[in-house]
Amino acid sequence: MTVQLFATCLVESWRPSCAIAAEQLLQHVGVRVHRLLRVGCCGQVAFNAGDWDTARKMAIAWLHAADPAMPVVMPSGSCAATVRHNYALLLSRSRYETRWHTIANQTFELSQFLVEELQAELHGFRSENEVVTYHPSCHLLRMLQVQDAPVQLIRQVQGVQYVPLPEAEVCCGFGGLFAVHLPQLSGALLMRKLEAIEQTGASTVLGCDWSCLMHLAGGLHRTGMPVRAMHLAEWLIEKRIANCEQRAEKQ
């Protein structure tokens, strides 16, 4: 199988290692990867800001860049949700509706694709007595209905201790423009989430959207909490590489 990997503009600008890890993870399970390069933004920010004319133009440009013959995989629940659901509001009853419908039906967030489409089994991934927790981002959980897939992948790593996050379904406070327009409320939600993370005793909090993780990482840094915020793909590849290095040392 060959898939198209859309890194998202936020990952390309702020955390390209997420896209690299996503590609490596797909290749690990036998999937060939074609990168969607220089595509730009999917239009989510403009859509959320109410600038639907601009969002529509960006959606059309994105659809022209994608190949309808191949699945599209993204290391982001929010961007995948934008293509699957928000584009319907932008492009219904337009001449682009058929193309959107074809591509949207085969657009997936990374963990969703690995578990629901491939039933992937991860072999050779190992952690040494690490405690991790998982924050489900709002769009991934509510719009895409992806709940168990990330946890299933975490549990496939040998030696890891997974601790469920208290109030996991409560927003972290980022919400894109929400954090800009309502910074005090955003900050209060962030502190509530950090307290929940602290209760788990985890040294790493995982997620599937770098936007939320960036928000969490900032809060963790400012409060001095010794906890890493990592994209699930990055963490999984870290566990694979570490296990390979351990085997090499033993040999």
Side-chain angles (χ1 to χ4, degrees):
M1 177 185 290
T2 301
V3 304
Q4 302 167 93
L5 179 64
F6 175 57
T8 78
C9 57
L10 188 67
V11 165
E12 285 185 343
S13 299
W14 293 95
R15 192 75 165 191
S17 56
C18 290
I20 295 170
E23 182 174 0
Q24 292 174 334
L25 195 56
L26 288 165
Q27 291 171 339
H28 177 81
V29 297
V31 175
R32 293 183 297 273
V33 178
H34 169 72
R35 298 183 186 179
L36 284 177
L37 299 174
R38 295 180 294 277
V39 181
C41 179
C42 66
Q44 178 189 171
V45 177
F47 180 90
N48 292 342
D51 186 359
W52 283 23
D53 288 339
T54 298
R56 187 174 293 108
K57 294 175 183 177
M58 299 174 86
I60 292 169
W62 191 92
L63 289 174
H64 279 312
D67 186 344
M70 288 188 288
V72 180
V73 179
M74 310 178 185
S76 167
S78 60
C79 294
T82 293
V83 173
R84 279 200 170 212
H85 298 288
N86 294 349
Y87 280 13
L89 299 173
L90 297 172
L91 302 173
S92 291
R93 299 181 181 179
S94 75
R95 61 193 179 98
Y96 301 101
E97 183 174 16
T98 300
R99 185 179 183 89
W100 161 74
H101 196 271
T102 300
I103 295 175
N105 282 340
Q106 54 181 357
T107 294
F108 306 94
E109 181 274 331
L110 177 64
S111 71
Q112 177 188 35
F113 181 75
L114 290 170
V115 173
E116 297 180 8
E117 297 300 308
L118 297 186
Q119 292 79 50
E121 295 184 5
L122 303 181
H123 301 288
F125 292 72
R126 184 171 183 81
S127 178
E128 294 295 332
N129 301 317
E130 183 180 9
V131 180
V132 305
T133 191
Y134 165 69
H135 165 67
S137 53
C138 293
H139 287 162
L140 180 67
L141 183 64
R142 293 171 174 83
M143 293 181 72
L144 294 183
Q145 301 294 307
V146 174
Q147 183 172 7
D148 297 328
V151 176
Q152 287 186 38
L153 294 172
I154 293 169
R155 291 187 183 278
Q156 289 189 41
V157 176
Q158 297 180 15
V160 70
Q161 181 182 348
Y162 166 70
V163 179
L165 184 66
E167 297 186 330
E169 296 185 4
V170 175
C171 177
C172 70
F174 179 67
L177 294 176
F178 173 85
V180 176
H181 294 310
L182 298 168
Q184 291 183 330
L185 182 55
S186 172
L189 285 168
L190 173 61
M191 292 307 300
R192 180 172 173 176
K193 184 64 64 173
L194 296 182
E195 291 171 1
I197 294 171
E198 189 173 30
Q199 290 178 39
T200 67
S203 59
T204 304
V205 55
L206 303 172
C208 295
D209 277 89
W210 179 245
S211 52
C212 298
L213 290 164
M214 182 169 61
H215 187 57
L216 292 173
L220 291 166
H221 175 73
R222 290 191 297 275
T223 56
M225 289 178 60
V227 180
R228 300 186 300 170
M230 292 188 71
H231 193 281
L232 177 61
E234 289 183 294
W235 181 77
L236 287 171
I237 290 300
E238 178 185 84
K239 301 307 122 182
R240 180 178 69 87
I241 292 173
N243 192 38
C244 290
E245 290 175 347
Q246 289 174 4
R247 291 204 308 267
E249 289 175 0
K250 292 179 180 178
Q251 292 174 356

